[in-house]
Amino acid sequence: MTDRHRPTLATVAARAAVAPSTASLAFSGSSRVAPATRERVLAAAAELGYAGPDPVARSLRSRRSGVVGAMIGERLAYAFTDPVAVQLLDGVTEVLSPLGVGLLLLPGDADRRGPTVGQLAHVPLDAAVYATCGLEDDPALAHLQRRGVPVVAVDGPRVDDVVFVGIPDRRGTADLARHLAGLGHRRVAVVAMPLRLDGTRGPVTADRRARAHYRDVRERLLGVEEVLGPVPAVEGASNSVEEGERAGRALLDVPAPDRPTAVVAQSDLMAAGVLRAAEGLGLRVPEDVSVAGFDGVELPWLAPVRLTTVVQPTTEKGRVVGRAVAELVEGRRPDDVVLDVHLSVGTTTGPAPG
Amino acid sequence: MTDRHRPTLATVAARAAVAPSTASLAFSGSSRVAPATRERVLAAAAELGYAGPDPVARSLRSRRSGVVGAMIGERLAYAFTDPVAVQLLDGVTEVLSPLGVGLLLLPGDADRRGPTVGQLAHVPLDAAVYATCGLEDDPALAHLQRRGVPVVAVDGPRVDDVVFVGIPDRRGTADLARHLAGLGHRRVAVVAMPLRLDGTRGPVTADRRARAHYRDVRERLLGVEEVLGPVPAVEGASNSVEEGERAGRALLDVPAPDRPTAVVAQSDLMAAGVLRAAEGLGLRVPEDVSVAGFDGVELPWLAPVRLTTVVQPTTEKGRVVGRAVAELVEGRRPDDVVLDVHLSVGTTTGPAPG
DNA sequence: CCACTCTATCGAATCGATTCGACACCGCGT
DNA sequence: ACGCGGTGTCGAATCGATTCGATAGAGTGG
């Protein structure tokens, strides 16, 4: 690799017998440069194998790096088993890619909640998206704000100077709870996504709830209770089928009189786990127990079962985030956005037994 | 957002009554600066809310941006339904994150094979990884090489000045074919991953095969034929359960005498689809038809079925890529790496019927 | 007491491009 | 023939840090 003599704009300019400033104009496509001159510059560049202005140098002047950070709360392998996370980022890149802006993955590892300040400090960022990552008490957030990097938080808490994009989580599960109440369900339980990423699983205590990192998890729980009053909730250690199954078994593997007649899982992934738990315990859905989820993701392998769930427009949410980022990069301050959700009744909920 | 007066290193230096160069030394933790001075500089920085040296300016001097591009051949939502892609990137970030290097997602869209030169041109890159993206005839590759950005290709073709990390694809499927031959199978068919990303599906012609973009797809096919001679192959439009099912149905929905007794899918995802196809056609596995895959990914929803497959160390492959990238960034030229694979016999292959 | 050696700090050049104001030149109108 | 608007090109400052060679000053040994 010939690190030796990589040409710069100055080299190209010299070869085309123009000033560097003119060469720059030629590349940026300014109309202030004569077509013939532009040709000459481009030809010189081609001869020298010049690939265009150095992005780093350009970034320094223009105060734009073309890089947006995606803060991920776990390692990729775990975060991306969640179709919601993937769809979200897909929407973001759909908007940002055509603008020549890339999404930089900043995952945490098994222990941490997210990337550390040390990792962030060396990386050029035009903006950051808290994608699957709580941000309360996050030193990384403070660091970004000091740097003046604008932040968008998806489903995150509302924080000053952070753009919020989310959904009415509470109304979503409240609608779901009303649906269940209308079917006669009185003993309803919740399978919750992690309230914090510390590997905890099991019944959710009041204390635990107070120390939750994730706004959406809290809200989805409150939505159910708004309609049905306090309900037992079991937390999974991660948002996954396995943890959903585990929590589901904990709730359902009890004598029939104590058993919930309906289980509301906070994600479709966990709902799929609850379905497996029910199957494993020989319970029919929805005759013995109703199961509902949240998100509205495609889980083709469940077919022909159709999960009752609260559908959120995940990809569109990603696009909205992408547009918000684009505006922030332009220097504007976009409004917070709350997208809509709707209940989709499938085959997994029915009248309460008995 | 106070864009107005963000402090720079010079501001901090002035406040600490030292030269900018000394302040720089203080931040880079050089031992050539007196502890007391360092304290003073750090204190001044804290008072001013200075978040540390600007990464872009630093990059300009040090010729390092801390950003590595991941070239993705499709939109994220499709690429990341593939657990292999996710595990691979997980391994890459596992190595790179602690080094303060981030992975920049550069997806293509529905039409393109990968990111365009226009998108690449504005983004600072220390290196690029062709993760899920063919690179033959790719103008983006030429652009990267002109820029002097080192490239690592996963399972990619061997190209000059591109570091190769892969597996013995051909030996893997050859082992699998021998396993099937040993069970008495003579009529074996292949369900192939896309040879190019152009939405084509259906029987693989010789012409199509010659114009394939993906080395691994070709090799896996050749491995089977090395042992069993020419076999019919059906290509899916994408590497997914749905396309696997579609291709599987095309192969299996024929009168028994013509029907293959074993189907080799080129990925576990597609193998899962073939299993669904068999189920849909009322065929028992492995009594009526044997099915095998490739990759060795976890597909928990298949349980209790255990897929016969060729296991590759995907996460480790990602780590190897990460280490190769790290070396390239340091200016060294790492060797190509070929990791090992092994056959894992599950419950989906058995003696040929009849 | 002088010379010599470190050590801590500083100055200035450098990384590679962008951008704004200045300027030369051309053609046209009067 | 002179001036004027307009176009195309150029110079120089700037973005924010890093780094090497120079230097002042403190400390040490003869």
Side-chain angles (χ1 to χ4, degrees):
Chain A
M1 304 182 186
T2 49
D3 255 350
R4 203 73 23 225
H5 277 316
R6 199 160 299 290
T8 74
L9 189 56
T11 324
V12 174
R15 183 165 237 260
V18 298
S21 49
T22 304
S24 174
L25 269 332
F27 274 101
S28 62
S30 159
S31 60
R32 299 200 46 86
V33 62
T37 311
R38 188 205 307 302
E39 287 302 307
R40 205 143 39 83
V41 172
L42 264 29
E47 288 169 34
L48 291 170
Y50 177 71
D54 180 322
V56 176
R58 177 215 290 279
S59 300
L60 181 60
R61 262 268 51 190
S62 62
R63 317 294 302 131
R64 300 257 213 103
S65 65
V67 176
V68 171
M71 314 285 279
I72 312 283
E74 314 161 77
R75 1 187 345 157
L76 292 189
Y78 298 116
F80 287 178
T81 54
D82 181 4
V84 173
V86 172
Q87 274 181 45
L88 183 80
L89 294 187
D90 183 54
V92 176
T93 58
E94 180 186 326
V95 173
L96 257 26
S97 281
L99 272 40
V101 173
L103 202 61
L104 187 76
L105 294 178
L106 294 165
D109 60 21
D111 299 333
R112 286 191 309 265
R113 304 209 308 273
T116 62
V117 173
Q119 286 162 38
L120 244 52
H122 297 302
V123 155
L125 290 180
D126 288 347
V129 175
Y130 272 76
T132 69
C133 197
L135 49 52
E136 287 161 15
D137 312 326
D138 188 348
L141 177 61
H143 173 257
L144 291 171
Q145 295 194 313
R146 260 203 307 278
R147 264 174 66 177
V149 175
V151 173
V152 178
V154 179
D155 300 327
R158 290 166 182 270
V159 174
D160 282 349
D161 278 332
V162 170
V163 177
F164 174 93
V165 175
I167 51 173
D169 290 281
R170 194 189 297 208
R171 190 170 61 62
T173 51
D175 287 353
L176 183 53
R178 268 186 288 274
H179 163 67
L180 292 172
L183 289 168
H185 292 275
R186 293 296 172 265
R187 286 201 312 283
V188 175
V190 168
V191 168
M193 298 189 291
L195 292 151
R196 306 172 68 105
L197 285 181
D198 53 7
T200 301
R201 62 168 69 87
V204 177
T205 62
D207 179 56
R208 175 84 183 160
R209 212 193 275 209
R211 305 195 313 122
H213 269 138
Y214 293 104
R215 197 197 60 93
D216 51 351
V217 179
R218 261 190 327 242
E219 293 286 307
R220 289 182 196 179
L221 187 46
L222 288 172
V224 174
E225 298 191 325
E226 195 176 290
V227 175
L228 297 166
V231 296
V234 174
E235 175 181 3
S238 69
N239 176 19
S240 62
V241 177
E242 292 74 24
E243 287 293 320
E245 181 171 3
R246 203 152 174 166
R249 208 162 37 225
L251 284 167
L252 296 176
D253 193 9
V254 296
D258 299 332
R259 193 197 301 141
T261 62
V263 175
V264 174
Q266 290 195 331
S267 74
D268 289 350
L269 230 41
M270 299 194 93
V274 175
L275 290 176
R276 291 180 67 97
E279 188 186 345
L281 293 167
L283 298 172
R284 293 161 306 159
V285 174
E287 291 81 358
D288 299 321
V289 60
S290 287
V291 176
F294 200 109
D295 292 334
V297 300
E298 300 280 327
L299 296 178
W301 75 86
L302 282 185
V305 169
R306 278 188 16 261
L307 191 64
T308 294
T309 193
V310 178
V311 179
Q312 62 164 321
T314 310
T315 306
E316 177 58 19
K317 191 157 73 168
R319 290 190 201 105
V320 168
V321 170
R323 287 193 286 268
V325 167
E327 287 205 51
L328 286 167
V329 170
E330 302 282 327
R332 290 189 298 276
R333 202 318 186 165
D335 291 328
D336 291 353
V337 177
V338 178
L339 294 159
D340 207 10
V341 299
H342 70 269
L343 182 65
S344 165
V345 176
T347 60
T348 59
T349 48
Chain B
M1 305 185 183
T2 49
D3 254 352
R4 208 55 39 212
H5 276 316
R6 200 160 299 290
T8 73
L9 190 56
T11 324
V12 174
R15 184 164 236 264
V18 296
S21 50
T22 305
S24 174
L25 269 332
F27 274 101
S28 63
S30 157
S31 61
R32 301 201 42 87
V33 61
T37 310
R38 189 204 310 298
E39 288 302 306
R40 206 142 40 84
V41 172
L42 264 28
E47 289 169 35
L48 292 170
Y50 178 71
D54 182 321
V56 175
R58 176 216 291 278
S59 300
L60 181 59
R61 270 248 72 177
S62 62
R63 318 291 306 130
R64 297 258 212 104
S65 67
V67 176
V68 171
M71 314 286 280
I72 313 284
E74 315 161 77
R75 358 189 345 156
L76 291 190
Y78 297 116
F80 287 178
T81 53
D82 181 3
V84 173
V86 172
Q87 273 181 46
L88 183 80
L89 294 188
D90 183 54
V92 176
T93 58
E94 181 187 324
V95 172
L96 258 25
S97 282
L99 272 40
V101 173
L103 202 62
L104 187 77
L105 294 179
L106 295 164
D109 60 22
D111 299 332
R112 289 191 307 266
R113 304 208 309 273
T116 62
V117 173
Q119 285 161 39
L120 244 53
H122 297 303
V123 156
L125 291 180
D126 289 345
V129 175
Y130 272 77
T132 67
C133 197
L135 49 53
E136 285 161 15
D137 312 326
D138 188 348
L141 177 62
H143 172 258
L144 291 171
Q145 294 194 314
R146 260 202 307 278
R147 264 174 66 178
V149 176
V151 173
V152 178
V154 179
D155 298 328
R158 291 165 181 269
V159 174
D160 281 349
D161 277 332
V162 170
V163 177
F164 173 93
V165 175
I167 51 173
D169 290 280
R170 193 189 296 209
R171 192 171 58 65
T173 52
D175 286 352
L176 184 54
R178 268 185 288 271
H179 162 68
L180 292 171
L183 288 167
H185 292 275
R186 294 295 172 265
R187 287 201 310 282
V188 175
V190 168
V191 168
M193 299 190 291
L195 292 151
R196 305 173 70 107
L197 286 181
D198 54 8
T200 301
R201 61 169 69 88
V204 177
T205 62
D207 178 56
R208 175 84 183 158
R209 212 192 275 211
R211 306 196 313 125
H213 268 139
Y214 293 104
R215 197 199 58 95
D216 49 352
V217 179
R218 262 189 325 242
E219 291 287 305
R220 289 182 195 179
L221 188 46
L222 288 171
V224 173
E225 298 190 326
E226 195 176 289
V227 175
L228 297 166
V231 296
V234 174
E235 175 181 4
S238 70
N239 176 19
S240 62
V241 177
E242 292 73 23
E243 287 294 319
E245 182 172 1
R246 202 153 177 163
R249 208 162 36 226
L251 285 167
L252 296 177
D253 193 8
V254 296
D258 298 332
R259 192 197 302 143
T261 63
V263 175
V264 173
Q266 289 195 333
S267 74
D268 288 350
L269 229 43
M270 300 194 91
V274 176
L275 289 177
R276 292 179 65 98
E279 189 186 343
L281 295 168
L283 298 171
R284 292 162 306 161
V285 175
E287 290 80 0
D288 298 321
V289 60
S290 286
V291 176
F294 201 109
D295 290 334
V297 301
E298 298 280 328
L299 297 178
W301 76 85
L302 281 185
V305 168
R306 278 188 17 261
L307 191 65
T308 293
T309 192
V310 178
V311 179
Q312 63 164 321
T314 311
T315 306
E316 178 59 19
K317 191 156 74 167
R319 291 192 201 104
V320 168
V321 170
R323 287 193 284 269
V325 166
E327 286 205 54
L328 286 166
V329 169
E330 302 281 326
R332 290 190 298 277
R333 207 307 188 174
D335 291 329
D336 291 354
V337 177
V338 178
L339 293 159
D340 207 9
V341 298
H342 69 270
L343 182 65
S344 164
V345 177
T347 60
T348 58
T349 48

